[in-house]
Amino acid sequence: MLLSVVILLPVVAAGVLLAVPGLPDRAASWFWVAIAALDLALIGWMWIGFASAASEGPSGVVDGIAYEQKIQWIPTVDASYHVGVDGLSLPLIAMTGVLFLAAAIWSLREKQRPRTYAALFLFLQTASMGTFASLDLILFFVFFDLTIVGMYFVIAGWGHGNRRRSALKFFIYTFVGSLALLVGFIGLFLGSETRTFDMVALAADPPLTDSPVAAGLVLLAISIGLAVKTPLFPFHTWLPDAHTDAPAAGSAILAGVLLKLGTYGFVRIAMPILPDAWQRWAMVIVIAGVVSVIWGAFTALAQTDLKRMIAYTSVNHMGYILLGLGAAGLVAQADEQARTIAVTGAMVQMVSHGLLTGALFLLTGVLFSRGGTYAFDRWSGLARPAPIFAAALGVAAFGSLGLPGLSAFIAEFQIFTGALQAAPIATVIAVTGIVVTAGLFLVALQRLFSGEMKVPEAGGIASARSHGGEGKRSAEGGGPRGVKTITGNDDGRAPAVFKDLNGRELTAILPLLILSLAIGLFPRALLDIIEPAAAALTSLVGR
Amino acid sequence: MTGMEGMSANPLDLLPEILLLLGAVGGLLLGLWTPQHKQSRVRILIVVAALASAVAATVDLTEPDKGVFDDSWMIDTTTGIVRITVALATAAAVLLSSTSLAGHPRETEAYVLMVLAALGAIALAASNDLLMLAAAYLLASVPLYALAGFAKDARGVEAALKYYLMGALVGVLMLVGIAGLILATGSGNYVELSGSLPQASMPLVALGVIGVLAGMAFKAGAVPVHFWVPDVTAGTTPAMAAFITTIPKLGAVAAAFRLVAEPFAAIPLDVPLLVAVIAAASMTLGNLAAFQQTEVLRLLAYSTVSQVGYMFMVVAVAGQSDFAVPALAIYLAGYAVTNLGAFAAAAALPKAASIGEWADAVRGRPRLVLSLAVLLLGLVGTPPTAVFIGKLTIFTATADGNLVWLLVLGAVNTIASLFYYLRWIAPAARTVFADSKQPDHMLAGTQARAVMVSTKVQVLRGPAMMVHAAAVLSVLLGIGAGVWLTFIA
């Protein structure tokens, strides 16, 4: 019941927001923050309850599910509203709660239709949490699809640049993926003995074990669906456009939360329900992961735009997750302990990437609000006027490239340790991806922070300042805003201004970085939750 | 299956139909003695009759299946669902059309014709005998010819003529088919046919199958006999179009389902494949044609053609999958609600013919756009609407009936359909978004434009309420599927 409240509270609040007429815009924004905070508090309570009840040994996926609730929904095909949390879903639900609260705080000064904006994000929050908590394939699909609809309107309504095209591209790509997913789910349903969509029942008694071809095709359909969402090379082409043209809070949610729906789907559905097929095709998954790692890293290196660069690093980071998950299926090549480590690393990577990329996208939003562009060649020397911004971006970037002491290190280290035994060559290739991302983040930091100070035309700054630093006005025209390249100090006249992070921005970003640091320094609290479930998953895949 | 003498002839078995008939006849008589400006009485009478019929049908649903009147009329889950859906949809369509019909000199006649056509649709679904099917076909067709040309304008007359000629042609084809089947076996009853058709002369049976299915495809508006759909839809008022593209489909698809599941089940022809091809062609061609439409009604018309394709998917696996009957029931109900709602959106702005005009006219009405988005995305099959549940169960039944290629084609078509539904949602959403933004420096200009727009098109209240109601209902039917599906499972 508590879990259902956590899931449904935001959407109910969204309904209230839309239904109450004449609500002031500021009140709507604060209401959103309050609901997001309340939801996070409830998740915290759930976490405490879950952690205190946790027992030794593998637990999760098919047993040890907490806060479970099941209500019959479509009796003819045995689909139900079945939700619950275990060590795989709880960290992601918590991460989702944190990111949505950050997005709410970030958007406190939203000027454009803040009420609808808040309602849409609350709706998205329900959809995201529902996906993570689903224990029924159809329910998973429902929430999965609703995130697409919600994000489409966020990008199309509040984005900038070529937002309509990007939104449509995002919608079509992920919708195609979701239908492939649905076809796969129907395959699982028809292949199961008991004819059910229930994930727990399916994982306990895997379908299609005696027909490898059918199982392979079903896995293919599900993998395509999830790969589009994740996204993996070559299904990633929607990602840079959607990320770049979405508003900062939207990008943070898109990268931080929605991408995890794809990787989480592998963990929750593909691996435990199709263990034979997963083992058979594990090498393909590993290769897909490594290709994404390398492709994402090098494409990111080539970008001239900070936000696009960060978007491509997501492809890279998702590749590590797939490497870990694929290695978990290489049963013959590695012992169970190594495979468990790989899965644990992949799970931590999901949480870590959510926090760090969320922070990075919000930080790019700072740039956009100050100057209306993300292009590297328009900014430099920002460290002096904006030390806090520089420090925050530095921490997030170093975190993202896997510096020890931050969460991504814990994640990637475990992935590589776990995968090395199973797929040594692939792992070695993937490690080089770290080098490339390290290089590209350092180059980016250098371009932005060192050298002569340079900011885009003062008009952009003034407008940004007069609108509370949100600077979303560009969206009105729908086209890219034409910022002239007049730098403030080429001729030694009026020095250009770059305002450092304000309180609202800092309040949104800082907790994400602190959490990442906390996971990096004291990973036990998180690992205690994830490890039993990872062990359970590994043994299910090893069947 | 039936009583001691092998038959039951209790008129109360037909109570839902009798109530509708009473509504039609009573409405006609009442209309004759009611002054022009008080014709709303007729509307009330007919809506009450339709609701009563739906209630009677719901009560009937809990009883076991039975064939009545010499097994010529089958009362089972399929009939029950069609009875309820058609009755409720007719009530909704009558209310919807009242906006444009109120005060019309032939108001009563329109309502009565609608109820008679509804009766025909139910008869199609319940027919368990080929001759009954032929009669039902006529009852479901003739009132609609009149309704199609109701406006008496050039477009309406052309549409009615086209509809009538096509209907007559296909009707003859169907009668030839029925004659062939009866000639081959000596009986028109489905129960007897299912036993004797497999041994009958195959050329005659093939002719019969094609003729009868052509008749059902015509009533449903499926390819290749769908050419009347866009003209009729665009040639009449949106409310009439809503009725014509919703109610007969329900009956025709159910009738085709019964035919494939019972008399045609055992014959050595690949009837499922034939139906599957009709389904594939309908959804694909309907979608392809819808891409280029700029008129709201024509877009919806082709959308209904593609929707029939999904319905025929389940007809193709009729009798071969346990999921087929519930899938059909869910889809028919979900489609009726959603399609009526989408047409109501067109009816809310009767002057806005093109998508662009519609989108311009909804300035300042975000809720209408929200409801439209729910309905259109519902037609795509976005969860958690009723059509999503229908599509899910239909896809499941199709795969279960070993027509995996049709399932994949259905999924591909679902994606394709997204494009043209978004072509309607996106500009409307853009208008609403652009409106509430109202940059201060452009305020004067915007106001002037708003005044201009508001004088141009007015949003009708009744249909707009219908849009909201349909959107809410489609979501409730989806989320609450567990509640109402237990009655038909």
Side-chain angles (χ1 to χ4, degrees):
Chain A
M1 197 55 204
L2 176 61
L3 181 58
S4 293
V5 173
V6 167
I7 296 171
L8 298 177
L9 173 70
V11 81
V12 172
V16 170
L17 269 184
L18 291 181
V20 176
L23 195 71
D25 287 349
R26 291 297 295 275
S29 297
W30 278 106
F31 179 69
W32 176 20
V33 172
I35 292 294
L38 177 62
D39 215 34
L40 186 59
L42 289 175
I43 295 168
W45 190 12
M46 257 171 52
W47 183 292
I48 293 167
F50 186 83
S52 61
S55 54
E56 285 296 301
S59 151
V61 188
V62 292
D63 56 7
I65 294 166
Y67 303 104
E68 201 172 352
Q69 191 175 18
K70 186 171 182 177
I71 300 168
Q72 184 73 267
W73 179 28
I74 317 176
T76 48
V77 291
D78 193 17
S80 50
Y81 173 82
H82 188 186
V83 291
V85 293
D86 61 6
L88 300 175
S89 49
L90 186 58
L92 290 171
I93 291 176
M95 185 268 287
T96 307
V98 170
L99 267 184
F100 272 95
L101 180 58
I105 295 172
W106 177 268
S107 310
L108 267 177
R109 303 289 292 275
E110 176 68 44
K111 281 282 177 289
Q112 234 186 89
R113 307 180 298 281
R115 195 146 71 117
T116 325
Y117 193 63
L120 257 180
F121 270 86
L122 287 166
F123 170 78
L124 260 177
Q125 186 171 1
T126 287
S128 310
M129 291 191 167
T131 318
F132 288 131
S134 292
L135 293 175
D136 183 279
L137 293 174
I138 295 307
L139 190 67
F140 180 93
F141 178 80
V142 168
F143 285 126
F144 188 90
D145 239 24
L146 289 180
T147 61
I148 303 176
V149 177
M151 190 42 87
Y152 168 79
F153 283 108
V154 167
I155 300 176
W158 286 264
H160 41 253
N162 206 347
R163 60 198 161 112
R164 268 173 223 138
R165 195 173 160 274
S166 298
L168 187 66
K169 196 169 172 185
F170 164 77
F171 198 139
I172 304 280
Y173 267 68
T174 44
F175 193 75
V176 169
S178 80
L179 275 167
L181 204 57
L182 185 65
V183 171
F185 288 173
I186 291 174
L188 290 179
F189 170 80
L190 293 173
S192 65
E193 297 266 313
T194 47
R195 293 286 170 97
T196 178
F197 279 111
D198 194 87
M199 288 186 202
V200 178
L202 285 169
D205 179 16
L208 299 166
T209 40
D210 47 355
S211 47
V213 178
L217 287 174
V218 170
L219 180 64
L220 178 70
I222 292 176
S223 298
I224 287 177
L226 296 172
V228 172
K229 191 85 177 184
T230 302
L232 293 177
F233 178 84
F235 302 106
H236 67 283
T237 50
W238 61 267
L239 173 129
D241 291 339
H243 277 81
T244 312
D245 294 339
S251 303
I253 296 301
L254 180 54
V257 179
L258 299 198
L259 300 194
K260 306 306 173 300
L261 302 183
T263 51
Y264 176 74
F266 283 109
V267 173
R268 172 67 62 187
I269 297 164
M271 293 171 72
I273 297 180
L274 289 165
D276 288 351
W278 188 264
Q279 284 179 33
R280 195 169 298 113
W281 299 101
M283 208 43 172
V284 177
I285 304 283
V286 167
I287 292 168
V290 172
V291 170
S292 291
V293 164
I294 298 298
W295 187 274
F298 278 103
T299 326
L301 190 61
Q303 299 307 311
T304 55
D305 172 313
L306 178 65
K307 206 174 183 187
R308 273 187 101 81
M309 184 196 89
I310 295 171
Y312 274 109
T313 62
S314 290
V315 179
N316 164 277
H317 285 122
M318 296 295 107
Y320 295 128
I321 296 177
L322 264 284
L323 168 66
L325 298 182
L330 294 167
V331 176
Q333 284 89 332
D335 56 52
E336 186 150 339
Q337 200 190 355
R339 287 183 283 124
T340 305
I341 293 175
V343 172
T344 311
M347 288 308 302
V348 178
Q349 174 78 335
M350 291 186 208
V351 177
S352 157
H353 178 262
L355 298 171
L356 287 170
T357 309
L360 280 172
F361 274 119
L362 291 182
L363 285 163
T364 63
V366 173
L367 277 191
F368 192 82
S369 70
R370 307 288 195 270
T373 176
Y374 307 111
F376 281 129
D377 55 8
R378 309 294 274 285
W379 301 96
S380 68
L382 298 182
R384 202 160 352 111
I388 305 176
F389 171 71
L393 189 60
V395 170
F398 280 115
S400 188
L401 64 82
L403 190 78
L406 286 145
S407 55
F409 171 74
I410 306 285
E412 285 163 17
F413 178 73
Q414 293 197 70
I415 291 176
F416 293 140
T417 312
L420 189 63
Q421 192 185 8
I425 300 170
T427 309
V428 170
I429 297 173
V431 172
T432 60
I434 296 250
V435 181
V436 180
T437 35
L440 69 92
F441 271 118
L442 290 174
V443 170
L445 292 180
Q446 192 191 6
R447 280 170 170 178
L448 290 175
F449 294 144
S450 62
E452 191 93 332
M453 182 176 157
K454 183 167 124 186
V455 295
E457 188 219 354
I461 303 164
S463 105
R465 210 191 282 144
S466 69
H467 292 96
E470 203 54 47
K472 291 275 157 47
R473 314 273 298 177
S474 65
E476 282 155 16
R481 53 198 291 170
V483 180
K484 287 180 214 134
T485 43
I486 303 168
T487 55
N489 57 350
D490 327 340
D491 48 357
R493 258 189 310 139
V497 194
F498 185 85
K499 272 180 72 181
D500 208 346
L501 295 186
N502 60 31
R504 169 183 61 85
E505 289 162 343
L506 201 60
T507 320
I509 295 167
L510 203 57
L512 302 178
L513 298 177
I514 291 174
L515 273 174
S516 172
L517 193 66
I519 294 171
L521 295 175
F522 314 104
R524 243 2 305 161
L526 180 61
L527 292 181
D528 281 344
I529 300 284
I530 291 179
E531 270 170 358
L537 178 65
T538 312
S539 70
L540 286 175
V541 172
R543 273 181 293 184
Chain B
M1 185 182 290
T2 51
M4 277 181 299
E5 285 90 62
M7 65 171 282
S8 150
N10 181 359
L12 278 184
D13 287 332
L14 299 183
L15 186 61
E17 288 79 11
I18 291 171
L19 285 169
L20 274 184
L21 189 62
L22 283 179
V25 176
L28 192 59
L29 293 175
L30 182 65
L32 286 179
W33 276 281
T34 304
Q36 191 72 62
H37 61 279
K38 285 188 181 160
Q39 298 255 319
S40 59
R41 283 180 202 166
V42 179
R43 191 188 318 146
I44 293 167
L45 174 76
I46 281 178
V47 168
V48 168
L51 293 181
S53 166
V55 170
T58 313
V59 173
D60 232 22
L61 202 55
T62 52
E63 288 177 22
D65 296 355
K66 58 184 170 193
V68 295
F69 293 98
D70 252 346
D71 262 348
S72 64
W73 187 277
M74 191 68 192
I75 299 170
D76 58 2
T77 308
T78 314
T79 308
I81 285 293
V82 172
R83 275 171 162 180
I84 298 170
T85 319
V86 164
L88 293 179
T90 306
V94 165
L95 290 177
L96 183 62
S97 57
S98 67
T99 316
S100 57
L101 282 179
H104 193 282
R106 283 168 284 130
E107 187 180 357
T108 297
E109 287 85 338
Y111 299 147
V112 170
L113 287 172
M114 286 163 88
V115 176
L116 288 175
L119 210 47
I122 295 176
L124 277 175
S127 292
N128 208 30
D129 188 291
L130 289 174
L131 293 175
M132 176 62 85
L133 189 74
Y137 176 89
L138 290 175
L139 182 57
S141 296
V142 176
L144 294 183
Y145 301 145
L147 284 178
F150 196 73
K152 282 191 180 174
D153 55 3
R155 267 179 108 177
V157 169
E158 187 198 326
L161 197 63
K162 205 162 182 176
Y163 193 19
Y164 172 73
L165 285 177
M166 193 138 187
L169 176 71
V170 176
V172 168
L173 203 63
M174 191 179 88
L175 286 178
V176 170
I178 288 176
L181 288 176
I182 293 178
L183 193 63
T185 61
S187 163
N189 189 284
Y190 289 3
V191 181
E192 288 164 36
L193 281 174
S194 54
S196 51
L197 270 184
Q199 288 88 40
S201 148
M202 267 316 115
L204 272 181
V205 175
L207 178 77
V209 168
I210 290 171
V212 174
L213 284 182
M216 294 311 108
F218 167 76
K219 287 292 353 153
V223 173
V225 277
H226 67 287
F227 296 103
W228 60 272
V229 179
D231 291 310
V232 170
T233 309
T236 176
T237 60
M240 285 301 169
F243 182 84
I244 296 174
T245 58
T246 307
I247 276 80
K249 266 189 184 45
L250 305 175
V253 172
F257 186 89
R258 192 182 298 288
L259 283 164
V260 174
E262 287 162 25
F264 299 164
I267 58 175
L269 296 171
D270 203 344
V271 180
L273 182 69
L274 175 68
V275 179
V277 169
I278 294 176
S282 287
M283 55 184 153
T284 312
L285 295 181
N287 275 339
L288 290 180
F291 281 140
Q292 299 125 34
Q293 303 307 322
T294 53
E295 243 182 86
V296 169
L297 282 176
R298 290 189 90 88
L299 180 112
L300 282 176
Y302 282 108
S303 132
T304 67
V305 174
S306 73
Q307 294 289 334
V308 171
Y310 303 123
M311 295 180 204
F312 268 69
M313 279 173 81
V314 76
V315 174
V317 294
Q320 294 176 47
S321 167
D322 294 339
F323 305 112
V325 173
L328 179 77
I330 301 166
Y331 204 92
L332 290 184
Y335 168 78
V337 171
T338 319
N339 197 52
L340 280 176
F343 273 96
L349 295 159
K351 300 233 171 63
S354 76
I355 293 172
E357 285 167 28
W358 198 94
D360 272 344
V362 290
R363 195 172 292 280
R365 296 188 155 263
R367 289 193 195 147
L368 191 62
V369 176
L370 180 68
S371 290
L372 177 81
V374 169
L375 290 169
L376 293 187
L377 289 177
L379 282 176
V380 177
T382 308
T385 57
V387 174
F388 161 70
I389 312 248
K391 230 170 196 175
L392 169 71
T393 43
I394 282 188
F395 283 7
T396 307
T398 311
D400 194 36
N402 288 323
L403 287 171
V404 178
W405 65 270
L406 192 59
L407 159 70
V408 173
L409 193 69
V412 170
N413 266 299
T414 301
I415 296 160
S417 69
L418 181 67
F419 284 92
Y420 59 83
Y421 290 122
L422 276 183
R423 275 187 48 212
W424 188 0
I425 300 173
R430 208 175 299 154
T431 320
V432 169
F433 283 161
D435 189 41
S436 53
K437 201 157 50 190
Q438 291 243 353
D440 327 44
H441 58 277
M442 282 173 62
L443 197 62
T446 319
Q447 267 173 349
R449 209 165 145 208
V451 170
M452 208 178 75
V453 167
S454 64
T455 51
K456 200 169 70 186
V457 188
Q458 191 196 352
V459 177
L460 297 177
R461 208 182 142 77
M465 296 303 291
M466 193 79 87
V467 178
H468 296 311
V472 170
L473 190 61
S474 95
V475 173
L476 284 183
L477 279 180
I479 292 176
V483 181
W484 65 277
L485 279 183
T486 45
F487 287 105
I488 60 167

